[in-house]
Amino acid sequence: MAGQTVRILDGNTFVVCDERGDIESLPSEPTGLFSFDTRFLSTWVLTINGQKLNPLSIDDLQYFESRFFLVPGTGTVYIDAKLSVIRQRAVGHGFHEELTILNHEDQPVDLVVRIDAASDFADLFEIKDKLKKLGSYEVSVEDGSLRLAYGRDTFRRETRISASAPAAIDKKGLTFKIRLEPHERWTTDLEVVTALAGPGGSYVRPKYSRGRKEARPNMERSLDRWIADAPTLQSDWEPFRMIYRRSLVDLAALRFSPPVAGGKSLPAAGLPWFMTMFGRDSIFTSLQALPFTPELAATTLRVLGDWQGSRRDDFRDEDPGRILHEMRYGEMAAFEERPHTPYYGSVDATPLYVILLDEYERWTGDRKLVRELEYEARAALNWIDEYADLMGNGYISYKRRNEQSGLENQAWKDSWNSIAYSDGRLPDFPRATCELQGYAYDAKIRGARLARLVWKDPAYAETLERQAADLKRRFNRDFWIPDREYFALALDADGSQVDALASNIGHLLWSGIVDASKAKAVVGHLMGPRMFSGWGIRTMAAGEGRYNPIGYHLGTVWPFDNSFIAWGLRRYGFKEEAARVASGILDAAVVFDGRLPEAFGGYERTVTKYPVRYPTACSPQAWSTGAPLLLLRTMLGLEPTGDHLVVDPVLPESIGHVELLDIPGRWGRMDAFGRGRVQVEDWRRKEGRTGRRA
Amino acid sequence: MPDPTEAFFARLVERGHEPALQRTTGSARIDIDRDGKVAHWRLDIRCGKVEVTQSGDAADCVIGAPAKLFDDLASGKANAMAAALRNELTMEGDPGFLVRFQRLFPAPTGRKMPTSARTVGKRRG
């Protein structure tokens, strides 16, 4: 689709269309109305007297709603604005569109208003991989609505389209023949309803209708309520409030209820490719959002617990105790052409699950949930030693069992070339990346705390602590590269070090697995010129064989990555460094209007005045949305200690005064205050200098 | 020799308690259609304690399956979530139950990893 695309979303239903509000999808592009990984509309085109309209302006009203102002066009610069057309569309269980036409003339006009509609029912996987469909289509006009259907064996997907005004409906769309008197307006409501099952299955009405436009992230709570329940932020630094609000709204928008999860909602990963449940993304996002919306963590823990692996299934890379990687609802998953029902090929989600459970209890004091999830947490801890140690060397490593459609890299840097030696070679499998060992260590330490405190099993706690201490000792010996003073990115299949310098070492600080004596050197690398760009820490250091400032995991800056590294810097007492990282990422957020993309270019800040957006980055993306929240927690030094919240603010000077009011937790509600004192590089001055030189 | 479906429910009766259903309290009925004759299996679950009867009484969640499919699920030859997405397995009431319940089905046996020309692809990057 040429030109700008407009995106609105509600949970895992979303619309991507052009500036007119039209949808004319190509088979290989993710434009259209999507729900549960299936495209339900691939054509949705409005014409008046056979002509398409010209866009005048678009209002992004809310994340789920946009309004298009249009006029009939002549194809020339001259616009004959005797008519105006307004399309107002709200997505949520299909969508609702209010179409209004105004006649500005002193003459009556006769108009033929036409909506062309069609659906190819493409699975997102089919769009990505350009695959042909195997089922058959059926189109019919029934009970005053146009029914588009697709079937393959028992698999059914349907779209039903209807209008409130009288329309002539045929198999390709709806036609309205109207006469508008001078200065008269005409309006109709169009409803597009999607269904996962055919006859006998359920159609759910669109969430929104005319005059009912209060945002409802889920059925119980409005957006206003969602924001009101979160802490309030005040700051001298004007953009901070905008970034904070944007994060809360996007987090609400990305929540969705999987159809087999009993109406509970958790964050989907990101628009447009990943509007589904991802173990890793949901856990990281829930950790970031804990001080703000702790119920997100509770839902994530329950739902991922429900889906926990229970058997060995090579196709799905499933093991008992393993936490899922990704769930998909489309045709290819249904027919096992893809393993996502769900797919378990993630090695970090399982230890991270235990980490989230413990962190959740530390904030909320909700021991009931920890008791309820004892079986799942123990199974997750058991998975680390029983199933994840593929090389028998006491480290978590990964190698897919599904060679056809499984994931090669099963940690967060999952692109094919992300794990490399300094000279650019790629190691064989299995691979034991370093951050996985940190997560395993932290999971055992935290599991031990829960075992002692809630499950009343001190013997188990001691075992876990003994294992953790042993892991830490071995790790600091086997992964440390003494002459370069950093931890290897991974161990390869021979147990040798994969020696590229990468941001993964920052996660080690967060986990606490780094010997105190080594922390300073690690921080030196993270904050040094090879890794810190001025906007943030690069995924891979400049100078490495595969370094590329716009390589997906080879040098770009990931806001989520930086938020956890900043937390790690705090953990080891490097408070000013944490504030510098936070300052860079928040400055980038301002440039992106408060909505941080998945990743941006790793160019030197003094060279590019603005952070360069990674070409195909998903946006909004849950863990980027959560990054400003975790950075805020980190800068304020918020740490639950016993039944209290400790506040130890270290902020960049440019942010000035910050107040975070009504922070929920086991203490009820508490306020935190801080004033920026850390001197951060004056980038404007530096940039200015560069400018003069150039 | 009992069919895989009967063997599956017999095993539930024998075990009596399922840790994977620890967080589940409620009832579920599984209606299995064998050549037009529907057999009912009703489960009453209290914090993982499972009672099995062959009653057709109403339940919080009702799952419907043709006998061949349920035999395949009970013997590790089919996957319940994929079957549900295909509408081959039907569901009424609390859908969360199926997610927890399907964890009781055995690991795949006698089943080759599905392959097709449509299975090639990769995610991200």
Side-chain angles (χ1 to χ4, degrees):
Chain A
M1 188 176 290
Q4 282 287 105
T5 58
V6 179
R7 299 157 163 207
I8 48 174
L9 74 152
D10 178 83
N12 78 346
T13 303
F14 61 93
V15 179
V16 183
C17 64
D18 69 16
E19 295 158 297
R20 301 178 178 107
D22 283 348
I23 295 166
E24 290 175 276
S25 308
L26 294 173
S28 58
E29 278 181 359
T31 55
L33 162 66
F34 289 87
S35 189
F36 293 108
D37 306 321
T38 300
R39 177 151 61 199
F40 282 87
L41 272 184
S42 51
T43 302
W44 185 256
V45 176
L46 171 67
T47 53
I48 294 182
N49 295 338
Q51 284 205 310
K52 282 194 194 173
L53 301 160
N54 281 333
L56 284 185
S57 73
I58 303 163
D59 278 355
D60 285 325
L61 300 171
Q62 312 204 51
Y63 63 82
F64 62 90
E65 187 179 28
S66 51
R67 186 158 55 199
F68 304 84
F69 291 93
L70 311 163
V71 288
T74 55
T76 65
V77 184
Y78 175 71
I79 287 172
D80 180 17
K82 286 168 187 162
L83 287 178
S84 348
V85 179
I86 304 166
R87 302 171 94 169
Q88 185 162 339
R89 184 181 298 158
V91 65
H93 312 149
F95 69 68
H96 172 266
E97 181 168 324
E98 207 174 299
L99 174 61
T100 306
I101 302 174
L102 298 103
N103 177 15
H104 304 305
E105 282 255 65
D106 291 327
Q107 307 288 324
V109 285
D110 290 301
L111 303 173
V112 178
V113 179
R114 170 80 185 171
I115 296 268
D116 283 314
S119 177
D120 62 0
F121 293 97
D123 183 321
L124 266 174
F125 284 127
E126 293 167 331
I127 298 172
K128 270 182 110 171
D129 297 335
K130 303 181 175 62
L131 301 171
K132 287 220 170 349
K133 292 207 76 76
L134 300 179
S136 56
Y137 297 91
E138 195 189 304
V139 179
S140 59
V141 178
E142 290 173 14
D143 312 326
S145 66
L146 170 58
R147 186 178 141 266
L148 310 171
Y150 174 81
R152 176 174 161 197
D153 301 341
T154 45
F155 179 88
R156 306 284 299 174
R157 296 291 182 265
E158 289 193 13
T159 308
R160 216 172 261 240
I161 301 158
S162 59
S164 60
I169 304 177
D170 58 73
K171 288 185 176 184
K172 290 184 170 173
L174 297 81
T175 305
F176 306 87
K177 289 194 172 140
I178 55 172
R179 183 182 180 86
L180 275 180
E181 296 304 326
H183 307 290
E184 201 193 6
R185 62 191 280 158
W186 172 86
T187 181
T188 186
D189 293 287
L190 298 160
E191 270 194 359
V192 179
V193 184
T194 61
L196 293 188
S202 57
Y203 278 103
V204 181
R205 310 263 314 165
K207 223 179 199 181
Y208 301 102
S209 56
R210 181 178 291 259
R212 172 101 209 234
K213 290 293 166 56
E214 188 195 19
R216 285 180 292 150
N218 55 32
M219 297 313 282
E220 300 86 43
R221 225 160 31 139
S222 73
L223 183 64
D224 291 342
R225 191 76 238 152
W226 164 262
I227 288 173
D229 286 349
T232 312
L233 179 75
Q234 302 289 348
S235 171
D236 291 345
W237 188 53
E238 190 52 40
F240 211 175
R241 283 169 58 189
M242 177 273 288
I243 296 169
Y244 180 65
R245 191 185 157 83
R246 179 91 255 169
S247 288
L248 291 177
V249 171
D250 281 351
L251 214 49
L254 286 164
R255 283 162 60 112
F256 87 111
S257 306
V260 273
K264 301 167 194 161
S265 59
L266 72 166
L271 194 70
W273 297 112
F274 308 118
M275 291 310 290
T276 185
M277 184 160 66
F278 277 86
R280 174 188 307 131
D281 300 54
S282 299
I283 293 171
F284 273 131
T285 307
S286 299
L287 279 166
Q288 292 170 318
L290 244 182
F292 306 88
T293 57
E295 71 275 20
L296 217 50
T299 308
T300 298
L301 288 163
R302 280 202 190 92
V303 173
L304 293 179
D306 283 352
W307 288 93
Q308 186 175 42
S310 59
R311 58 201 154 229
R312 289 280 282 181
D313 180 340
D314 292 345
F315 179 57
R316 293 177 178 76
D317 277 323
E318 178 180 357
D319 305 305
R322 197 166 185 175
I323 297 298
L324 72 84
H325 174 59
E326 177 180 0
M327 175 70 199
R328 290 290 184 177
Y329 304 90
E331 181 180 342
M332 295 193 76
F335 286 92
E336 301 187 282
E337 293 166 336
R338 287 286 185 280
H340 300 83
T341 40
Y343 179 58
Y344 288 89
S346 155
V347 271
D348 49 11
T350 309
L352 288 169
Y353 182 80
V354 180
I355 293 168
L356 177 62
L357 182 62
D358 177 65
E359 190 68 11
Y360 170 77
E361 195 285 331
R362 292 181 65 231
W363 277 88
T364 62
D366 179 2
R367 293 190 187 175
K368 189 168 161 283
L369 186 65
V370 179
R371 256 192 304 275
E372 276 177 31
L373 293 171
E374 178 178 353
Y375 172 79
E376 285 79 5
R378 282 177 183 258
L381 286 161
N382 181 61
W383 177 83
I384 294 174
D385 298 310
E386 199 70 34
Y387 296 97
D389 180 6
L390 302 183
M391 296 191 275
N393 60 0
Y395 295 119
I396 294 189
S397 57
Y398 58 82
K399 181 184 173 149
R400 62 180 179 176
R401 305 203 296 277
N402 176 347
E403 293 278 348
Q404 268 226 322
S405 51
L407 275 176
E408 281 202 329
N409 280 319
Q410 304 194 342
W412 87 261
K413 291 182 181 174
D414 56 3
S415 55
W416 68 278
N417 57 0
S418 58
I419 307 301
Y421 299 93
S422 268
D423 61 11
R425 283 177 302 126
L426 300 177
D428 282 341
F429 297 93
R431 297 173 178 176
T433 53
C434 64
E435 83 285 3
L436 298 173
Q437 322 314 323
Y439 302 157
Y441 169 80
D442 199 18
K444 284 172 188 283
I445 295 285
R446 289 169 179 270
R449 194 186 77 89
L450 296 176
R452 200 167 273 126
L453 187 76
V454 186
W455 308 328
K456 307 295 178 201
D457 188 348
Y460 184 46
E462 275 167 39
T463 304
L464 289 170
E465 279 164 350
R466 208 169 40 245
Q467 291 173 345
D470 176 57
L471 174 59
K472 183 172 180 172
R473 188 183 48 75
R474 288 184 291 110
F475 177 81
N476 278 275
R477 180 191 66 204
D478 298 344
F479 279 72
W480 185 247
I481 311 177
D483 56 333
R484 300 192 209 164
E485 296 205 296
Y486 62 79
F487 289 96
L489 172 53
L491 295 187
D492 64 17
D494 303 327
S496 304
Q497 294 177 339
V498 179
D499 58 350
L501 174 58
S503 66
N504 305 46
I505 61 171
H507 286 234
L508 297 173
L509 297 174
W510 170 53
S511 303
I513 197 175
V514 175
D515 278 345
S517 60
K518 296 187 170 78
K520 200 171 167 216
V522 169
V523 175
H525 285 289
L526 291 168
M527 302 309 294
R530 290 182 64 201
M531 299 206 76
F532 189 66
S533 76
W535 297 112
I537 294 163
R538 300 181 178 102
T539 39
M540 189 176 272
E544 293 300 327
R546 285 194 179 263
Y547 170 74
N548 171 0
I550 46 165
Y552 199 51
H553 298 118
L554 301 173
T556 51
V557 173
W558 286 59
F560 119 82
D561 192 26
N562 277 264
S563 68
F564 281 88
I565 295 172
W567 190 358
L569 289 166
R570 279 285 318 209
R571 178 167 182 164
Y572 278 80
F574 295 87
K575 302 175 185 178
E576 298 200 355
E577 287 79 358
R580 281 177 63 206
V581 172
S583 174
I585 296 291
L586 292 173
D587 283 353
V590 177
V591 180
F592 293 116
D593 294 326
R595 179 182 279 172
L596 283 161
E598 177 183 41
F600 55 84
Y603 299 105
E604 203 54 52
R605 183 164 174 175
T606 48
V607 175
T608 60
K609 244 177 163 167
Y610 299 98
V612 175
R613 187 188 286 268
Y614 179 79
T616 62
C618 286
S619 183
Q621 177 146 27
W623 63 12
S624 291
T625 296
L629 302 180
L630 177 52
L631 291 171
L632 182 55
R633 169 191 173 170
T634 301
M635 289 189 296
L636 286 171
L638 304 180
E639 212 49 62
T641 306
D643 280 334
H644 303 282
L645 178 66
V646 170
V647 182
D648 177 18
V650 178
L651 296 138
E653 199 176 35
S654 55
I655 283 182
H657 183 71
V658 172
E659 293 179 20
L660 190 63
L661 307 175
D662 292 328
I663 305 164
R666 60 199 307 158
W667 41 82
R669 294 266 179 176
M670 260 191 65
D671 302 337
F673 304 90
R675 176 167 290 286
R677 299 192 195 286
V678 178
Q679 291 276 356
V680 175
E681 292 88 335
D682 186 345
W683 293 103
R684 222 164 304 160
R685 206 163 49 81
K686 282 194 182 179
E687 282 152 6
R689 266 211 305 273
T690 314
R692 272 199 300 279
R693 262 208 307 274
Chain B
M1 200 179 109
D3 60 50
T5 297
E6 279 177 28
F8 173 80
F9 286 110
R11 215 161 38 237
L12 285 191
V13 172
E14 198 182 306
R15 289 164 58 105
H17 182 268
E18 297 294 342
L21 299 179
Q22 190 76 47
R23 287 180 290 128
T24 304
T25 291
S27 59
R29 203 183 73 222
I30 297 147
D31 293 349
I32 296 173
D33 186 333
R34 206 176 285 275
D35 305 321
K37 262 188 73 184
V38 177
H40 304 291
W41 296 89
R42 194 172 188 283
L43 309 180
D44 278 282
I45 304 161
R46 262 196 104 73
C47 301
K49 206 168 150 295
V50 184
E51 263 179 53
V52 183
T53 53
Q54 295 202 7
S55 141
D57 290 353
D60 303 333
C61 171
V62 179
I63 293 171
K68 167 80 172 69
L69 173 65
F70 205 89
D71 283 348
D72 284 351
L73 292 171
S75 54
K77 292 192 187 113
N79 178 278
M81 296 323 298
L85 287 181
R86 290 194 302 272
N87 305 324
E88 204 180 334
L89 192 75
T90 58
M91 222 171 6
E92 281 168 54
D94 173 20
F97 174 77
L98 177 63
V99 178
R100 292 190 288 272
F101 177 68
Q102 58 83 30
R103 289 161 75 183
L104 306 182
F105 290 127
T109 48
R111 176 160 66 116
K112 274 220 209 120
M113 203 182 288
T115 56
S116 97
R118 283 166 43 100
T119 56
V120 186
K122 67 174 196 291
R123 195 196 137 216
R124 290 198 198 186

